[in-house]
Amino acid sequence: MPIKLPSDLPAFDVLTNEGVMVMSEDAASRQDIRPLRIGLLNLMPKKIQTENQFARLIGATPLQIELSLIRMSEHQTRNTAAEHMEAFYRPFSEVLASGEKFDGLIITGAPIEQMPFKQVTYWEELKQVFDWTQTNVLSTFGVCWGGMAMLYHFHGVEKHILDAKAFGCIRHRNDEPASPYLRGFSDDMVIPVSRWTELKRDEISAAGLPILIDSDQTGPCLVEDPDHRALYIFNHLEYDSGTLKEEYDRDVAAGKPINVPANYYPDDDPSQPPQNRWRSHAHLLYCNWINEIYQTTPFKMSDIGMKTKDRRSSGA
């Protein structure tokens, strides 16, 4: 089944040309099924690139997905055209006021990871988002800084500044092969890493949270938070083949100190085209997440966030 997108959203043509099944809103309305509603709270400066990356992954599942784009209410982006933001994004304040619910929500990273959480201009509203997910979202996926922020908000686990940027395609291990989120995963895998901060393994474990994917080199990668119906991933399976190259070339052009991303280019030679060795695991992870949502979400959207006994009394 396809992902439902506005026909004039740039991702519609991008994914269609890649062979991803995409359906316009008019066509979707003629199907007598309830699509899964997935929200994307996009905190990245390059909004369109991020839209494409996540729409590609959640659009590869066998279910119909309705993707809703959300932004912080007062924060204005300088990297995406105002017309695009006006046409396709809704401020969180509007989503909150509407009382609507979502089967899933992805909260992206943001290029502010070295800044203390409480100094982020939209931190108070973001805390409101996190609390809102507990009543209006079945499952939340916090990515990179978004996952770190959720972990700090719900459990007080701090991020720690690294001496040097963790940057490259790093080998990770599957520590919980029985997890439904890791169904079909290899025992180890390569995952793109691009961050200046880390989470400590012992601090996550002290919070009682299982670490699903870990790395001796760059630390915990994927953490489950069952009590808050959330997953936190601190690395970037959603990245395109050339995303690390773009980051590297940008820093080189700006004269910033940056290492060649490890294990990314053949023979670590930036003159050669990079190799994508994480694509299959990216699709597996997001397909497994969508499948878990599908298996557990109530048919009535109004029942999302209700306790089981309350859902039974409502006739669900």
Side-chain angles (χ1 to χ4, degrees), residues 44-60:
M44 291 296 288
K46 294 184 176 180
K47 305 292 186 191
I48 295 175
Q49 181 186 55
T50 304
E51 295 158 17
N52 292 343
Q53 290 171 348
F54 284 106
R56 178 182 295 116
L57 294 174
I58 65 175

Side-chain angles (χ1 to χ4, degrees), residues 216-251:
D216 291 333
Q217 186 174 348
T218 55
C221 169
L222 181 66
V223 172
E224 184 179 4
D225 186 350
D227 289 346
H228 295 96
R229 304 186 311 281
L231 288 175
Y232 312 134
I233 188 168
F234 310 124
N235 302 327
H236 292 284
L237 276 171
E238 81 281 0
Y239 268 8
D240 296 325
S241 300
T243 305
L244 289 179
K245 172 178 168 55
E246 293 173 12
E247 295 181 7
Y248 174 71
D249 290 346
R250 176 199 63 203
D251 287 350

Side-chain angles (χ1 to χ4, degrees), residues 1-3 21 36 52 59 66 68 70 93 105 111 129 138 144 153 188 191 216 230 270 284-286 293 312:
M1 295 296 289
I3 182 171
M21 292 185 66
L36 293 182
N52 292 343
E66 177 184 319
S68 297
I70 306 169
S93 57
L105 176 71
V129 172
L138 182 76
C144 200
H153 176 68
D188 69 357
I191 299 178
D216 291 333
L284 265 178
L285 179 60
Y286 283 88
I293 291 174
R312 287 173 178 165

Side-chain angles (χ1 to χ4, degrees), residues 130-296:
F130 297 155
D131 292 336
W132 166 83
T133 65
Q134 300 307 287
T135 54
N136 288 65
V137 179
L138 182 76
S139 180
T140 306
F141 209 146
V143 179
C144 200
W145 184 86
M148 295 179 187
M150 291 187 71
L151 192 56
Y152 174 75
H153 176 68
F154 286 127
H155 299 280
V157 176
E158 287 277 6
K159 55 186 172 65
H160 301 273
I161 304 294
L162 294 167
D163 294 331
K165 186 177 184 179
F167 192 43
C169 296
I170 308 302
R171 188 156 294 281
H172 290 68
R173 65 177 177 273
N174 178 352
D175 278 356
E176 295 289 342
S179 168
Y181 298 109
L182 301 184
R183 188 178 293 113
F185 266 61
S186 304
D187 293 335
D188 69 357
M189 68 227 67
V190 169
I191 299 178
V193 179
S194 179
R195 50 180 163 82
W196 283 96
T197 53
E198 67 174 351
L199 282 301
K200 300 291 188 182
R201 190 176 294 108
D202 58 343
E203 293 176 359
I204 293 174
S205 297
L209 303 178
I211 299 171
L212 307 187
I213 298 177
D214 202 351
S215 167
D216 291 333
Q217 186 174 348
T218 55
C221 169
L222 181 66
V223 172
E224 184 179 4
D225 186 350
D227 289 346
H228 295 96
R229 304 186 311 281
L231 288 175
Y232 312 134
I233 188 168
F234 310 124
N235 302 327
H236 292 284
L237 276 171
E238 81 281 0
Y239 268 8
D240 296 325
S241 300
T243 305
L244 289 179
K245 172 178 168 55
E246 293 173 12
E247 295 181 7
Y248 174 71
D249 290 346
R250 176 199 63 203
D251 287 350
V252 169
K256 296 180 179 179
I258 185 68
N259 294 325
V260 174
N263 306 314
Y264 178 54
Y265 298 103
D267 301 320
D268 289 331
D269 180 359
S271 68
Q272 298 192 51
Q275 295 177 324
N276 188 315
R277 291 179 289 152
W278 61 90
R279 184 182 295 115
S280 58
H281 282 103
H283 282 278
L284 265 178
L285 179 60
Y286 283 88
C287 183
N288 287 341
W289 178 60
I290 293 293
N291 182 61
E292 283 304 295
I293 291 174
Y294 177 73
Q295 298 295 334
T296 56

Side-chain angles (χ1 to χ4, degrees), residues 66-85:
E66 177 184 319
L67 182 65
S68 297
L69 302 177
I70 306 169
R71 63 172 175 84
M72 303 309 295
S73 302
E74 301 301 326
H75 182 72
Q76 300 297 322
T77 181
R78 298 190 298 268
N79 300 86
T80 304
E83 294 80 7
H84 181 86
M85 299 301 296

